[in-house]
Amino acid sequence: MSPTLISRRDVFRQMAQRSYVTWPAYDSTPLYDRTSLAGLESDIRTVSETWLTHGMNNSVEEFVCALPLAYFRFSAHDRYVGSTSYRMDTLFRLFVLKELHGWEHETALVDYLGTRPELCEQLGLETIPDQSTLWRSWHERFTPDFRETVETAARTILIKAQNAGIGVPREPTRKLRYHGNESGESDPDDQTTLEQAEKITDHVSRVVSPAFSLDPGDGCEIHENAYWDLQTYLGLRERLAANEGARSFAYESTRDRTLLGHAHREQIRDLSVSETREMYRQAVNRLLSEVAETEEFFRAGIVAIDITEADPFTGDRTGHEDEIIGTKEKTDEYAYQWATVQLVGNAVPIVLDARPVQKGESRLEIVKDLLNSAKEMVHVDNVLMDREFDSQHVLEMLSQRGLSYVVPKRMQTSEKAQANRLLQHGQDRYETDRKLHLGKNEWHETTLIYRRKENSEHDDHRQYSVFMTNRGSGFLTEYGYRWEIESGYKSIKRFMAATTSKDFGLRFFYFAFACLLYSIWRAVDLLVQVELIGEYEHSPIVTADNTLTLLKKETGIG
């Protein structure tokens, strides 16, 4: 079915309603302009994903004809001078069609167009170009980078269509291509792994970086990239603060001009929490688009929601009592707290979103917020949470959304008594239904599962853990995936810059940027494994230090 005015409007309305998507890309960051091929590739990825999942748009050829290109300046990639018979945007569409079908020679495209006058009309062709015209256009008129963009665009469209269940002319290549990749080793050595990781880190960083943007002001002679390069550099070594890091950065960087630590902090402090979160979601969405183009990425699955805290705060928190709150263990210490939602299970463990936790916020509010973000990016089936989220209202909200959950329950008097009875009878496992009171004579129905711990040091009810789930005991094994979020927090904190500032926005930005570095690491590892081994094993073959070292090169250091 051909796209209609209504279906077009629906597509772009959906894109406009996504907080982490800005189209066209050149309007979202100074790193792109109207001639940027990386920006064009990003736009094709963004529009095709929404377009091809719309029920009324079910043809890749229709998409190629309707793809908005009027804003893009093709002239920067046109090696011809003077008048020509065919415009660059028209030729771009023609060669994307050729790549979609996988035709090796231009003759096949000419023959195909000759039998489809309606398609020619949609493409705006008054006459069909002959084979020699097309050959010259590809080999002589297009720049090499522009030819590569044509190939990338076609591959993206095929994969997005296949993911949406739409018929495609040929099977897309799910293995990403990087320049100079000639390795065919099935069991790569460390050097091969690092070489491939370097290529992929370079590619991923170029994809992700444009999501972060600043407004340094008119007349600023320091490129915006320097801010993100410095922030990455601060994550290269543990407990490195901005002032010390900026001095080292100025010494080690190949940049002509770098910035001072106080200037860096001032720019970051100008970002609100909502602005940081929006940039973060844009970056992660771009990262997901990269890994989603491999068969090994499991887009549907399990997410874990959790809260972590910074190191205990020992200074004067006067005026910051709503931000520097108590610890999760209810000690007499105070700390900043951050909540995240992360992919776990068979998926690559990318942190989808992060947010601060402030005094007075309910766990229901936090879970709703993070879950709404996650569901805009991936399909969610199951939610895992720690026992601090064992609120009946949280569980009811998840059930109403059709989601399964596994949450450990804090033992009250009745659970302790039941656990002691199980202990007396030597029973390792027990399952029972329970109604949790929601108020106003409303109840949430859940299942309580008692499970005996192995090699417990206790001789009472503490030998047992109690879990709540709305999908039966079979889902209990999935709770083991939660360990990934705890181990992930250790790496994330390793990537954080040090600061003594009480500025809430600055503190949160440091945490969010560390989450991004962690997610880049895990995405790079997935792509390296797919490229070298052909499959994804959860245990990384690229270490966090490897990735940070490669990102260090990206900052122009070393």
Side-chain angles (χ1 to χ4, degrees):
M1 179 183 296
S2 299
T4 64
L5 180 62
I6 294 175
S7 65
R8 290 171 189 255
R9 182 189 62 194
D10 287 347
V11 165
F12 288 95
R13 179 177 291 168
Q14 287 179 35
M15 289 166 50
Q17 290 172 345
R18 290 184 175 180
S19 61
Y20 58 83
V21 170
T22 302
W23 180 89
Y26 77 85
D27 203 30
S28 65
T29 170
L31 302 181
Y32 289 156
D33 60 24
R34 294 192 180 197
T35 68
S36 170
L37 292 174
L40 178 60
E41 291 173 12
S42 175
D43 286 342
I44 292 172
R45 186 180 297 112
T46 297
V47 179
S48 63
E49 183 171 17
T50 308
W51 185 285
L52 295 169
T53 54
H54 190 284
M56 297 182 68
N57 301 326
N58 54 9
S59 164
V60 292
E61 291 188 353
E62 297 282 2
F63 172 74
V64 172
C65 294
L67 175 66
L69 294 174
Y71 67 91
F72 188 76
R73 292 175 180 165
F74 288 92
S75 56
H77 312 283
D78 187 353
R79 294 191 291 195
Y80 279 8
V81 178
S83 60
T84 55
S85 300
Y86 298 96
R87 298 182 353 177
M88 283 285 284
D89 61 329
T90 300
L91 291 170
F92 176 78
R93 296 183 199 273
L94 289 177
F95 279 102
V96 169
L97 281 175
K98 176 178 176 290
E99 289 295 322
L100 286 177
H101 287 273
W103 292 319
E104 187 175 351
H105 302 293
E106 293 79 12
T107 303
L109 174 61
V110 174
D111 292 343
Y112 187 76
L113 293 172
T115 62
R116 285 164 175 77
E118 185 177 343
L119 177 61
C120 292
E121 183 179 350
Q122 290 176 311
L123 290 166
L125 287 175
E126 295 182 2
T127 60
I128 299 174
D130 57 29
Q131 183 272 337
S132 60
T133 299
L134 290 172
W135 189 94
R136 287 194 302 272
S137 297
W138 180 260
H139 292 279
E140 298 175 3
R141 186 173 181 181
F142 290 3
T143 64
D145 287 343
F146 190 71
R147 292 198 296 266
E148 187 175 330
T149 293
V150 170
E151 294 167 350
T152 300
R155 179 176 173 276
T156 295
I157 294 167
L158 287 171
I159 289 173
K160 298 302 182 186
Q162 193 174 62
N163 290 346
I166 294 173
V168 292
R170 66 177 175 90
E171 187 77 13
T173 302
R174 291 272 182 168
K175 203 169 186 180
L176 302 183
R177 293 176 299 171
Y178 302 97
H179 295 299
N181 174 30
E182 301 298 335
S183 173
E185 298 182 29
S186 58
D187 187 16
D189 56 26
D190 291 344
Q191 184 61 35
T192 302
T193 298
L194 287 175
E195 288 173 358
Q196 200 59 234
E198 182 170 8
K199 298 168 190 172
I200 294 176
T201 302
D202 173 76
H203 174 77
V204 167
S205 63
R206 293 176 188 275
V207 168
V208 171
S209 296
F212 279 78
S213 60
L214 290 171
D215 183 14
D218 295 335
C220 181
E221 297 181 10
I222 299 176
H223 195 279
E224 154 174 3
N225 277 2
Y227 291 89
W228 311 129
D229 290 353
L230 175 56
Q231 190 65 41
T232 302
Y233 181 72
L234 296 178
L236 297 175
R237 289 181 285 172
E238 292 188 68
R239 313 305 303 168
L240 184 61
N243 283 341
E244 178 189 353
R247 288 192 291 270
S248 299
F249 183 68
Y251 176 75
E252 294 188 50
S253 175
T254 57
R255 286 187 176 276
D256 294 333
R257 293 180 64 97
T258 61
L259 58 160
L260 299 175
H262 72 86
H264 177 75
R265 288 196 306 273
E266 286 175 6
Q267 281 292 327
I268 301 302
R269 279 198 295 261
D270 286 342
L271 294 171
S272 66
V273 168
S274 60
E275 287 173 329
T276 296
R277 288 188 69 188
E278 182 174 349
M279 289 193 300
Y280 183 86
R281 287 190 292 257
Q282 287 181 17
V284 170
N285 190 58
R286 298 171 68 88
L287 195 60
L288 288 172
S289 292
E290 284 297 304
V291 296
E293 294 187 3
T294 68
E295 291 178 346
E296 288 73 15
F297 174 73
F298 297 87
R299 184 168 277 274
I302 310 168
V303 298
I305 295 176
D306 210 344
I307 293 175
T308 190
E309 56 199 30
D311 293 336
F313 185 84
T314 56
D316 180 11
R317 67 186 190 106
T318 302
H320 299 271
E321 293 87 350
D322 291 345
E323 301 163 355
I324 309 172
I325 58 180
T327 62
K328 296 198 296 178
E329 298 301 324
K330 306 301 181 185
T331 66
D332 58 356
E333 295 180 323
Y334 296 96
Y336 290 92
Q337 292 187 12
W338 321 113
T340 64
V341 57
Q342 177 179 313
L343 287 170
V344 292
N346 290 324
V348 56
I350 288 174
V351 180
L352 300 173
D353 195 11
R355 55 158 290 162
V357 179
Q358 294 182 267
K359 184 178 179 180
E361 290 183 313
S362 69
R363 293 296 187 257
L364 177 61
E365 180 181 352
I366 292 169
V367 173
K368 276 185 176 179
D369 184 20
L370 292 175
L371 196 57
N372 287 341
S373 287
K375 294 192 73 173
E376 284 193 30
M377 300 184 201
V378 298
H379 177 74
V380 178
D381 292 321
N382 195 3
V383 182
L384 308 178
M385 295 178 289
D386 201 0
R387 58 175 43 86
E388 64 188 293
F389 293 99
D390 72 347
S391 159
Q392 59 268 40
H393 294 94
V394 171
L395 304 183
E396 177 66 12
M397 180 270 293
L398 294 175
S399 289
Q400 288 179 350
R401 293 187 179 205
L403 300 173
S404 60
Y405 62 78
V406 180
V407 183
K409 189 181 189 307
R410 286 172 283 199
M411 279 196 178
Q412 307 298 335
T413 302
S414 61
E415 286 82 36
K416 292 176 183 177
Q418 180 63 61
N420 283 325
R421 286 192 293 271
L422 295 173
L423 185 60
Q424 292 173 6
H425 290 86
Q427 194 169 341
D428 293 337
R429 194 180 185 98
Y430 177 72
E431 185 174 328
T432 183
D433 293 335
R434 174 72 66 84
K435 288 186 177 181
L436 305 176
H437 190 224
L438 297 169
K440 297 182 180 179
N441 201 31
E442 295 180 341
W443 302 82
H444 173 72
E445 296 184 3
T446 190
T447 299
L448 266 55
I449 301 174
Y450 293 74
R451 188 174 66 179
R452 195 171 187 172
K453 304 172 187 175
E454 294 183 5
N455 304 318
S456 175
E457 61 184 21
H458 301 289
D459 59 1
D460 57 7
H461 67 271
R462 287 173 292 180
Q463 288 197 24
Y464 292 85
S465 296
V466 185
F467 295 87
M468 295 181 291
T469 180
N470 58 350
R471 290 293 188 273
S473 60
F475 280 79
L476 197 57
T477 56
E478 293 183 348
Y479 192 74
Y481 293 136
R482 257 205 81 263
W483 71 268
E484 295 170 1
I485 203 166
E486 296 294 346
S487 62
Y489 281 148
K490 293 179 182 178
S491 296
I492 288 167
K493 291 175 181 178
R494 154 76 176 83
F495 296 157
M496 283 185 67
T499 183
T500 57
S501 173
K502 287 184 280 190
D503 185 275
F504 197 48
L506 179 70
R507 287 267 186 170
F508 175 64
F509 180 87
Y510 279 11
F511 177 75
F513 202 86
C515 288
L516 181 62
L517 292 178
Y518 170 79
S519 298
I520 288 173
W521 162 41
R522 299 310 302 255
V524 166
D525 177 69
L526 165 71
L527 295 174
V528 169
Q529 290 196 41
V530 170
E531 192 73 11
L532 295 182
I533 304 172
E535 60 184 5
Y536 177 54
E537 298 176 0
H538 217 70
S539 179
I541 66 172
V542 179
T543 68
D545 285 340
N546 290 155
T547 306
L548 282 178
T549 300
L550 296 170
L551 286 170
K552 181 178 178 180
K553 290 186 177 182
E554 284 300 298
T555 66
I557 306 162

PDB file of all heavy atoms in Angstrom, residues 229-250:
ATOM      1  N   ASP A 229      35.609  15.110  24.896  1.00  0.00           N
ATOM      2  CA  ASP A 229      36.901  14.441  24.962  1.00  0.00           C
ATOM      3  C   ASP A 229      37.463  14.514  26.379  1.00  0.00           C
ATOM      4  O   ASP A 229      37.986  13.531  26.904  1.00  0.00           O
ATOM      5  CB  ASP A 229      37.884  15.083  23.983  1.00  0.00           C
ATOM      6  CG  ASP A 229      37.529  14.800  22.529  1.00  0.00           C
ATOM      7  OD1 ASP A 229      36.603  14.000  22.303  1.00  0.00           O
ATOM      8  OD2 ASP A 229      38.167  15.382  21.641  1.00  0.00           O
ATOM      9  N   LEU A 230      37.358  15.690  27.006  1.00  0.00           N
ATOM     10  CA  LEU A 230      37.855  15.836  28.371  1.00  0.00           C
ATOM     11  C   LEU A 230      37.048  14.978  29.332  1.00  0.00           C
ATOM     12  O   LEU A 230      37.610  14.318  30.222  1.00  0.00           O
ATOM     13  CB  LEU A 230      37.813  17.304  28.799  1.00  0.00           C
ATOM     14  CG  LEU A 230      38.191  17.575  30.276  1.00  0.00           C
ATOM     15  CD1 LEU A 230      39.581  17.022  30.592  1.00  0.00           C
ATOM     16  CD2 LEU A 230      38.124  19.072  30.575  1.00  0.00           C
ATOM     17  N   GLN A 231      35.725  14.958  29.158  1.00  0.00           N
ATOM     18  CA  GLN A 231      34.898  14.151  30.054  1.00  0.00           C
ATOM     19  C   GLN A 231      35.250  12.667  29.924  1.00  0.00           C
ATOM     20  O   GLN A 231      35.288  11.936  30.919  1.00  0.00           O
ATOM     21  CB  GLN A 231      33.408  14.370  29.751  1.00  0.00           C
ATOM     22  CG  GLN A 231      32.464  13.772  30.783  1.00  0.00           C
ATOM     23  CD  GLN A 231      32.608  14.442  32.139  1.00  0.00           C
ATOM     24  OE1 GLN A 231      32.739  15.657  32.242  1.00  0.00           O
ATOM     25  NE2 GLN A 231      32.599  13.647  33.189  1.00  0.00           N
ATOM     26  N   THR A 232      35.508  12.217  28.690  1.00  0.00           N
ATOM     27  CA  THR A 232      35.954  10.833  28.491  1.00  0.00           C
ATOM     28  C   THR A 232      37.306  10.621  29.156  1.00  0.00           C
ATOM     29  O   THR A 232      37.544   9.603  29.814  1.00  0.00           O
ATOM     30  CB  THR A 232      36.050  10.515  26.992  1.00  0.00           C
ATOM     31  OG1 THR A 232      34.770  10.720  26.389  1.00  0.00           O
ATOM     32  CG2 THR A 232      36.483   9.075  26.759  1.00  0.00           C
ATOM     33  N   TYR A 233      38.189  11.599  29.014  1.00  0.00           N
ATOM     34  CA  TYR A 233      39.527  11.498  29.599  1.00  0.00           C
ATOM     35  C   TYR A 233      39.439  11.373  31.122  1.00  0.00           C
ATOM     36  O   TYR A 233      40.211  10.623  31.742  1.00  0.00           O
ATOM     37  CB  TYR A 233      40.336  12.720  29.207  1.00  0.00           C
ATOM     38  CG  TYR A 233      41.755  12.717  29.734  1.00  0.00           C
ATOM     39  CD1 TYR A 233      42.706  11.852  29.210  1.00  0.00           C
ATOM     40  CD2 TYR A 233      42.142  13.587  30.749  1.00  0.00           C
ATOM     41  CE1 TYR A 233      44.010  11.849  29.683  1.00  0.00           C
ATOM     42  CE2 TYR A 233      43.442  13.588  31.227  1.00  0.00           C
ATOM     43  CZ  TYR A 233      44.374  12.726  30.689  1.00  0.00           C
ATOM     44  OH  TYR A 233      45.660  12.725  31.159  1.00  0.00           O
ATOM     45  N   LEU A 234      38.489  12.082  31.735  1.00  0.00           N
ATOM     46  CA  LEU A 234      38.329  12.004  33.189  1.00  0.00           C
ATOM     47  C   LEU A 234      37.932  10.602  33.626  1.00  0.00           C
ATOM     48  O   LEU A 234      38.176  10.213  34.770  1.00  0.00           O
ATOM     49  CB  LEU A 234      37.278  13.018  33.667  1.00  0.00           C
ATOM     50  CG  LEU A 234      37.609  14.502  33.447  1.00  0.00           C
ATOM     51  CD1 LEU A 234      36.464  15.371  33.933  1.00  0.00           C
ATOM     52  CD2 LEU A 234      38.906  14.883  34.137  1.00  0.00           C
ATOM     53  N   GLY A 235      37.304   9.852  32.722  1.00  0.00           N
ATOM     54  CA  GLY A 235      36.920   8.489  33.049  1.00  0.00           C
ATOM     55  C   GLY A 235      38.027   7.469  32.832  1.00  0.00           C
ATOM     56  O   GLY A 235      37.862   6.297  33.179  1.00  0.00           O
ATOM     57  N   LEU A 236      39.158   7.937  32.267  1.00  0.00           N
ATOM     58  CA  LEU A 236      40.241   7.000  31.972  1.00  0.00           C
ATOM     59  C   LEU A 236      40.961   6.553  33.233  1.00  0.00           C
ATOM     60  O   LEU A 236      41.532   5.473  33.285  1.00  0.00           O
ATOM     61  CB  LEU A 236      41.250   7.641  31.015  1.00  0.00           C
ATOM     62  CG  LEU A 236      40.725   8.005  29.626  1.00  0.00           C
ATOM     63  CD1 LEU A 236      41.794   8.744  28.850  1.00  0.00           C
ATOM     64  CD2 LEU A 236      40.306   6.765  28.866  1.00  0.00           C
ATOM     65  N   ARG A 237      40.965   7.404  34.224  1.00  0.00           N
ATOM     66  CA  ARG A 237      41.647   7.050  35.470  1.00  0.00           C
ATOM     67  C   ARG A 237      40.700   7.285  36.637  1.00  0.00           C
ATOM     68  O   ARG A 237      39.929   8.248  36.656  1.00  0.00           O
ATOM     69  CB  ARG A 237      42.909   7.906  35.647  1.00  0.00           C
ATOM     70  CG  ARG A 237      44.026   7.540  34.686  1.00  0.00           C
ATOM     71  CD  ARG A 237      45.248   8.393  34.918  1.00  0.00           C
ATOM     72  NE  ARG A 237      45.054   9.748  34.383  1.00  0.00           N
ATOM     73  CZ  ARG A 237      45.916  10.748  34.602  1.00  0.00           C
ATOM     74  NH1 ARG A 237      46.979  10.554  35.353  1.00  0.00           N
ATOM     75  NH2 ARG A 237      45.708  11.934  34.077  1.00  0.00           N
ATOM     76  N   GLU A 238      40.756   6.424  37.611  1.00  0.00           N
ATOM     77  CA  GLU A 238      39.854   6.519  38.746  1.00  0.00           C
ATOM     78  C   GLU A 238      40.154   7.771  39.572  1.00  0.00           C
ATOM     79  O   GLU A 238      41.300   8.169  39.750  1.00  0.00           O
ATOM     80  CB  GLU A 238      39.977   5.274  39.628  1.00  0.00           C
ATOM     81  CG  GLU A 238      39.462   4.004  38.967  1.00  0.00           C
ATOM     82  CD  GLU A 238      39.428   2.832  39.926  1.00  0.00           C
ATOM     83  OE1 GLU A 238      38.611   2.862  40.862  1.00  0.00           O
ATOM     84  OE2 GLU A 238      40.229   1.907  39.746  1.00  0.00           O
ATOM     85  N   ARG A 239      39.063   8.373  40.054  1.00  0.00           N
ATOM     86  CA  ARG A 239      39.125   9.503  40.980  1.00  0.00           C
ATOM     87  C   ARG A 239      39.875  10.703  40.398  1.00  0.00           C
ATOM     88  O   ARG A 239      40.586  11.410  41.105  1.00  0.00           O
ATOM     89  CB  ARG A 239      39.779   9.097  42.314  1.00  0.00           C
ATOM     90  CG  ARG A 239      39.272   7.809  42.929  1.00  0.00           C
ATOM     91  CD  ARG A 239      37.779   7.800  43.111  1.00  0.00           C
ATOM     92  NE  ARG A 239      37.333   8.922  43.936  1.00  0.00           N
ATOM     93  CZ  ARG A 239      36.050   9.286  44.060  1.00  0.00           C
ATOM     94  NH1 ARG A 239      35.101   8.637  43.391  1.00  0.00           N
ATOM     95  NH2 ARG A 239      35.726  10.284  44.852  1.00  0.00           N
ATOM     96  N   LEU A 240      39.717  10.929  39.095  1.00  0.00           N
ATOM     97  CA  LEU A 240      40.365  12.072  38.469  1.00  0.00           C
ATOM     98  C   LEU A 240      39.369  13.226  38.381  1.00  0.00           C
ATOM     99  O   LEU A 240      38.309  13.108  37.781  1.00  0.00           O
ATOM    100  CB  LEU A 240      40.857  11.705  37.065  1.00  0.00           C
ATOM    101  CG  LEU A 240      41.655  12.779  36.311  1.00  0.00           C
ATOM    102  CD1 LEU A 240      42.924  13.137  37.080  1.00  0.00           C
ATOM    103  CD2 LEU A 240      41.997  12.306  34.907  1.00  0.00           C
ATOM    104  N   ALA A 241      39.715  14.362  39.009  1.00  0.00           N
ATOM    105  CA  ALA A 241      38.833  15.526  39.031  1.00  0.00           C
ATOM    106  C   ALA A 241      39.109  16.420  37.831  1.00  0.00           C
ATOM    107  O   ALA A 241      40.129  16.289  37.141  1.00  0.00           O
ATOM    108  CB  ALA A 241      39.022  16.298  40.335  1.00  0.00           C
ATOM    109  N   ALA A 242      38.199  17.381  37.598  1.00  0.00           N
ATOM    110  CA  ALA A 242      38.243  18.184  36.373  1.00  0.00           C
ATOM    111  C   ALA A 242      39.494  19.048  36.287  1.00  0.00           C
ATOM    112  O   ALA A 242      40.123  19.147  35.227  1.00  0.00           O
ATOM    113  CB  ALA A 242      36.992  19.046  36.271  1.00  0.00           C
ATOM    114  N   ASN A 243      39.888  19.708  37.387  1.00  0.00           N
ATOM    115  CA  ASN A 243      41.049  20.606  37.309  1.00  0.00           C
ATOM    116  C   ASN A 243      42.323  19.844  36.990  1.00  0.00           C
ATOM    117  O   ASN A 243      43.069  20.203  36.076  1.00  0.00           O
ATOM    118  CB  ASN A 243      41.210  21.364  38.632  1.00  0.00           C
ATOM    119  CG  ASN A 243      40.208  22.505  38.760  1.00  0.00           C
ATOM    120  OD1 ASN A 243      39.648  22.952  37.766  1.00  0.00           O
ATOM    121  ND2 ASN A 243      39.981  22.962  39.976  1.00  0.00           N
ATOM    122  N   GLU A 244      42.593  18.790  37.754  1.00  0.00           N
ATOM    123  CA  GLU A 244      43.780  17.982  37.497  1.00  0.00           C
ATOM    124  C   GLU A 244      43.707  17.331  36.125  1.00  0.00           C
ATOM    125  O   GLU A 244      44.686  17.288  35.377  1.00  0.00           O
ATOM    126  CB  GLU A 244      43.922  16.913  38.580  1.00  0.00           C
ATOM    127  CG  GLU A 244      45.111  15.998  38.373  1.00  0.00           C
ATOM    128  CD  GLU A 244      45.109  14.815  39.327  1.00  0.00           C
ATOM    129  OE1 GLU A 244      44.242  14.780  40.234  1.00  0.00           O
ATOM    130  OE2 GLU A 244      45.957  13.930  39.147  1.00  0.00           O
ATOM    131  N   GLY A 245      42.505  16.817  35.771  1.00  0.00           N
ATOM    132  CA  GLY A 245      42.326  16.163  34.479  1.00  0.00           C
ATOM    133  C   GLY A 245      42.539  17.110  33.319  1.00  0.00           C
ATOM    134  O   GLY A 245      43.127  16.750  32.300  1.00  0.00           O
ATOM    135  N   ALA A 246      42.057  18.353  33.458  1.00  0.00           N
ATOM    136  CA  ALA A 246      42.208  19.337  32.387  1.00  0.00           C
ATOM    137  C   ALA A 246      43.677  19.663  32.157  1.00  0.00           C
ATOM    138  O   ALA A 246      44.119  19.855  31.013  1.00  0.00           O
ATOM    139  CB  ALA A 246      41.426  20.608  32.721  1.00  0.00           C
ATOM    140  N   ARG A 247      44.457  19.741  33.240  1.00  0.00           N
ATOM    141  CA  ARG A 247      45.895  20.015  33.084  1.00  0.00           C
ATOM    142  C   ARG A 247      46.587  18.863  32.346  1.00  0.00           C
ATOM    143  O   ARG A 247      47.399  19.075  31.447  1.00  0.00           O
ATOM    144  CB  ARG A 247      46.532  20.251  34.454  1.00  0.00           C
ATOM    145  CG  ARG A 247      46.147  21.584  35.090  1.00  0.00           C
ATOM    146  CD  ARG A 247      47.012  21.884  36.285  1.00  0.00           C
ATOM    147  NE  ARG A 247      46.747  20.991  37.406  1.00  0.00           N
ATOM    148  CZ  ARG A 247      45.860  21.227  38.358  1.00  0.00           C
ATOM    149  NH1 ARG A 247      45.154  22.358  38.327  1.00  0.00           N
ATOM    150  NH2 ARG A 247      45.688  20.379  39.347  1.00  0.00           N
ATOM    151  N   SER A 248      46.261  17.626  32.746  1.00  0.00           N
ATOM    152  CA  SER A 248      46.850  16.470  32.073  1.00  0.00           C
ATOM    153  C   SER A 248      46.386  16.382  30.625  1.00  0.00           C
ATOM    154  O   SER A 248      47.160  16.043  29.725  1.00  0.00           O
ATOM    155  CB  SER A 248      46.473  15.178  32.820  1.00  0.00           C
ATOM    156  OG  SER A 248      46.961  15.205  34.140  1.00  0.00           O
ATOM    157  N   PHE A 249      45.105  16.696  30.406  1.00  0.00           N
ATOM    158  CA  PHE A 249      44.521  16.652  29.076  1.00  0.00           C
ATOM    159  C   PHE A 249      45.231  17.638  28.148  1.00  0.00           C
ATOM    160  O   PHE A 249      45.550  17.328  26.994  1.00  0.00           O
ATOM    161  CB  PHE A 249      43.036  16.967  29.167  1.00  0.00           C
ATOM    162  CG  PHE A 249      42.289  16.893  27.863  1.00  0.00           C
ATOM    163  CD1 PHE A 249      42.103  15.687  27.224  1.00  0.00           C
ATOM    164  CD2 PHE A 249      41.748  18.035  27.285  1.00  0.00           C
ATOM    165  CE1 PHE A 249      41.406  15.613  26.021  1.00  0.00           C
ATOM    166  CE2 PHE A 249      41.051  17.971  26.091  1.00  0.00           C
ATOM    167  CZ  PHE A 249      40.879  16.750  25.460  1.00  0.00           C
ATOM    168  N   ALA A 250      45.499  18.839  28.653  1.00  0.00           N
ATOM    169  CA  ALA A 250      46.183  19.857  27.849  1.00  0.00           C
ATOM    170  C   ALA A 250      47.582  19.393  27.461  1.00  0.00           C
ATOM    171  O   ALA A 250      48.068  19.689  26.364  1.00  0.00           O
ATOM    172  CB  ALA A 250      46.263  21.164  28.626  1.00  0.00           C
TER     173      ALA A 250
END
